[in-house]
Amino acid sequence: MEQDVQLLGDQIDRLLANMRRLVDENARLKAALSDSQALNADLRERMADARARVEFALSRLPADTADPS
């Protein structure tokens, strides 16, 4: 009986250690996800700005008036 109680105690200790490890890992993953999402939003904004600049530059080019026929 004493051995069963000791075994159960050991299993509970391992379970708690795993739970703490998973809680820490989850916190790290949430932080990494948040950082990635912020970077993604920044890159999307920069792409939109670049696209607008290219479109503006293209709109300033003279129209091709040469008749290809």
Side-chain angles (χ1 to χ4, degrees):
M1 178 72 171
E2 179 67 31
Q3 188 178 13
D4 291 339
V5 171
Q6 181 62 40
L7 182 60
L8 182 59
D10 292 344
Q11 289 174 335
I12 290 171
D13 289 342
R14 285 194 304 273
L15 179 63
L16 289 173
N18 281 334
M19 184 197 70
R20 287 185 200 105
R21 181 184 57 80
L22 290 173
V23 166
D24 291 345
E25 182 179 6
N26 190 39
R28 284 191 305 273
L29 289 172
K30 282 183 179 181
L33 176 61
S34 179
D35 291 347
S36 294
Q37 287 173 331
L39 178 59
N40 192 356
D42 180 58
L43 291 174
R44 285 182 187 274
E45 184 177 333
R46 291 173 56 194
M47 288 282 291
D49 290 346
R51 185 177 294 111
R53 287 192 306 274
V54 167
E55 289 174 358
F56 176 73
L58 290 175
S59 73
R60 294 181 45 131
L61 292 176
D64 187 9
T65 57
D67 187 8
S69 30

